[in-house]
Amino acid sequence: MAGRCRMLLAVAALLVAVDARAVVISRIVIVGSSVDIGLAELVAGRTGDLSDADIRAIGVEVTRRYHEAGYVTCHVARLVARRDGALEVHVVESRVREAAVAGVDGPAARELAALMLPEPGEIYNRIVVAERARFASAALGLSSVRVSAENHGDGADVLLRITALVAPRGAVGFGMGYGPRYGYAPVIEYARPAGGGAVRSRAEIGFRDGYLRQGIAAVEFDGRDRETDGGGLLLGARYRHARDVWESMDREFLSNAGEAFAGYGWRFGSASLDCTFRQAMSGLERYRGNWYVDNDSRAQAVYRIADRRLLLDRRRASELAFSASGGASDLCPKGYAMAAASGRTALVPVPWLFVVPHFDAWYATSAERYHWRYVFDETLPGRSDDFTASRWKHTAGIDLLFEAYPDLAMAGPFAVAGWYRNEDDEWRTAVVCGVRCTVQFRGVSIAAAWSWDVSGPLSRGSVTFSAAGSL
């Protein structure tokens, strides 16, 4: 924090417009506050026959509450005892008016400024800015991002001075999740800049009921320059071991699949288009009671668009994704096609409430269970013991997220409706309700949810959990 932030010392210069004698205060009114940090609870009961020192103490405590919540440049500027018995506590909230970037220039500087200050005019919070700096450093491949705050002009608002230290380095991501399909699933990722693009690798396993249910190892190269619009080469390879359930046949089958892909991708601002050709070979055990080898050739196109290029806070993000693919395999020699679409947006009617509608759609022409998706997965939770799969599934839902603690913890209910064809080719519907909570702190994100299909007993409810972070 720069020493030129004069408002940090403002608590020492409170102006109290009261008589020298004690004043009878019947109520306290906070003027100028727009953040929910518990000020009403703080001043509750602080009425009655108050001295000048008592009134000043109220101003000091309100300022301290702001600083403890990270709003270190906000303060109480004036206390006014009115003749009707009300005590007005006038708060000055410092807003971030501008961000100045040094260390990088051009598109990289604009992207860094957008990450650090997504909404000009927001109230300055040191904790939030520090978290954004850590995210921006990892997302842009910088060695570090340093931030200081200065007065913006002669008022209480601030200017962010952002210094980027450029020394490309790798970033390690890690996580642990739990879901009913594959059980406990630790994952580790590594990404490193390569030229203008990046190389990413990922390893994940899943354990449930004493068995290895899933194992994934993948490496990908994206040759697009992330600082500019344009195209680049896409290359990758992936191996997946899975123990899946074919519920209508009351059996499990194993698959071991290796895949390689090559293609080209384009990026236009916050939109991207990936076109690839994929060749895969799968070994299937106990599939239809036999062993199969499936050679699969497929062309795929994926289009994504968001309301910003890098998503620092997905709670506020709007995203759309569409994909289409087609090919032929030993299981489907006459060919098959797949299509998917998903989207979400965020409405913020008040600062402490996020209303998030979302949808997901999936269709495959293939009649093979191997090409289908589980119905009750992350897009339609609610059942812990139903492993039916579908080639045609649509869901739509809405989440309500209440900010339990500013920029740290959120919780709230959600509801999802699904329409799908089961493994017996019968159309079914499901309505799922639940509650979800998330915590984000110093680069670590933790989420947990409980959901329940309203057509069944509560005992069939499903629990999911995930934790992720980066170094």
Side-chain angles (χ1 to χ4, degrees):
M1 183 63 58
R4 285 173 286 179
C5 285
R6 298 184 297 271
M7 67 286 293
L8 287 175
L9 301 178
V11 67
L14 293 177
L15 301 178
V16 186
V18 296
D19 296 333
R21 57 184 173 79
V23 181
V24 177
I25 298 299
S26 60
R27 59 192 177 96
I28 299 176
V29 180
I30 307 294
V31 180
S33 177
S34 63
V35 295
D36 184 8
I37 55 174
L39 294 181
E41 295 81 359
L42 180 68
V43 301
R46 300 290 294 273
T47 56
D49 196 7
L50 302 183
S51 67
D52 181 80
D54 293 332
I55 293 176
R56 288 180 183 273
I58 292 174
V60 171
E61 290 181 24
V62 169
T63 298
R64 182 184 297 115
R65 178 64 62 89
Y66 266 96
H67 290 186
E68 289 173 349
Y71 300 99
V72 295
T73 55
C74 300
H75 63 281
V76 173
R78 193 160 56 101
L79 296 160
V80 178
R82 300 195 317 227
R83 294 187 180 278
D84 63 359
L87 174 63
E88 292 183 349
V89 181
H90 290 259
V91 175
V92 173
E93 294 182 337
S94 300
R95 299 184 178 273
V96 185
R97 294 302 177 186
E98 188 179 355
V101 177
V104 292
D105 52 21
R110 291 192 293 272
E111 194 160 22
L112 179 56
L115 285 173
M116 296 301 301
L117 185 58
E119 299 178 9
E122 67 181 15
I123 301 174
Y124 175 74
N125 186 296
R126 182 175 58 187
I127 298 173
V128 173
V129 168
E131 179 65 26
R132 290 175 180 172
R134 283 188 289 269
F135 176 88
S137 177
L140 301 178
L142 304 170
S143 60
S144 68
V145 174
R146 298 175 181 173
V147 187
S148 62
E150 300 178 1
N151 281 97
H152 186 272
D154 296 327
D157 292 341
V158 300
L159 162 71
L160 287 187
R161 290 207 174 274
I162 305 164
T163 302
L165 301 182
V166 183
R169 57 183 176 86
V172 177
F174 54 89
M176 168 63 80
Y178 174 79
R181 303 288 76 81
Y182 298 110
Y184 296 95
V187 60
I188 186 169
E189 298 178 324
Y190 178 73
R192 184 172 182 82
V199 175
R200 297 179 178 86
S201 56
R202 174 185 176 89
E204 179 180 352
I205 56 177
F207 286 97
R208 182 175 61 81
D209 299 333
Y211 290 99
L212 176 65
R213 296 284 171 173
Q214 180 174 247
I216 297 175
V219 60
E220 299 180 0
F221 169 73
D222 187 334
R224 289 171 290 197
D225 189 333
R226 56 181 159 186
E227 296 183 3
T228 61
D229 291 347
L233 187 66
L234 305 176
L235 297 171
R238 180 176 183 261
Y239 169 78
R240 179 175 184 260
H241 165 84
R243 180 187 290 263
D244 284 313
V245 177
W246 195 335
E247 187 161 276
S248 60
M249 288 195 174
D250 193 25
R251 68 161 55 102
E252 291 184 344
F253 67 92
L254 302 179
S255 64
N256 290 282
E259 178 185 72
F261 70 85
Y264 203 81
W266 295 265
R267 183 179 290 118
F268 315 95
S270 60
S272 66
L273 174 64
D274 299 354
C275 297
T276 56
F277 177 79
R278 298 171 179 265
Q279 183 67 43
M281 177 178 288
S282 305
L284 304 178
E285 181 180 346
R286 300 196 298 274
Y287 186 76
R288 298 186 183 276
N290 295 309
W291 290 66
Y292 291 87
V293 174
D294 184 50
N295 290 289
D296 189 309
S297 301
R298 182 190 308 179
Q300 183 178 58
V302 180
Y303 176 77
R304 299 183 182 89
I305 186 169
D307 59 350
R308 58 197 69 184
R309 188 158 180 163
L310 288 174
L311 300 177
L312 177 62
D313 187 350
R314 293 193 75 253
R315 297 173 306 177
R316 300 178 181 272
S318 295
E319 305 169 82
L320 277 174
F322 304 93
S323 69
S325 62
S329 71
D330 294 336
L331 288 175
C332 299
K334 293 184 179 180
Y336 65 89
M338 297 180 181
S342 62
R344 55 167 282 150
T345 189
L347 309 174
V348 189
V350 291
W352 43 266
L353 173 62
F354 294 79
V355 181
V356 184
H358 53 85
F359 77 93
D360 186 271
W362 153 258
Y363 174 64
T365 62
S366 172
E368 294 294 334
R369 162 66 182 85
Y370 181 60
H371 290 140
W372 298 354
R373 291 183 178 179
Y374 283 117
V375 170
F376 294 95
D377 57 9
E378 64 275 4
T379 63
L380 186 64
R383 296 186 189 176
S384 60
D385 57 355
D386 192 321
F387 295 91
T388 190
S390 177
R391 63 173 174 170
W392 197 317
K393 172 187 157 187
H394 308 304
T395 65
I398 189 166
D399 296 9
L400 300 180
L401 291 173
F402 296 89
E403 198 167 45
Y405 192 88
D407 300 301
L408 177 64
M410 303 197 74
F414 66 88
V416 187
W419 182 48
Y420 63 93
R421 260 181 173 162
N422 64 14
E423 293 181 6
D424 296 320
D425 210 29
E426 301 168 332
W427 283 104
R428 292 287 184 267
T429 59
V431 177
V432 174
C433 296
V435 61
R436 178 181 290 110
C437 61
T438 62
V439 176
Q440 293 181 325
F441 180 71
R442 295 188 180 277
V444 176
S445 175
I446 301 173
W450 177 84
S451 55
W452 162 58
D453 182 346
V454 299
S455 66
L458 288 173
S459 59
R460 294 186 66 184
S462 174
V463 174
T464 58
F465 169 82
S466 66
S470 61
L471 299 174

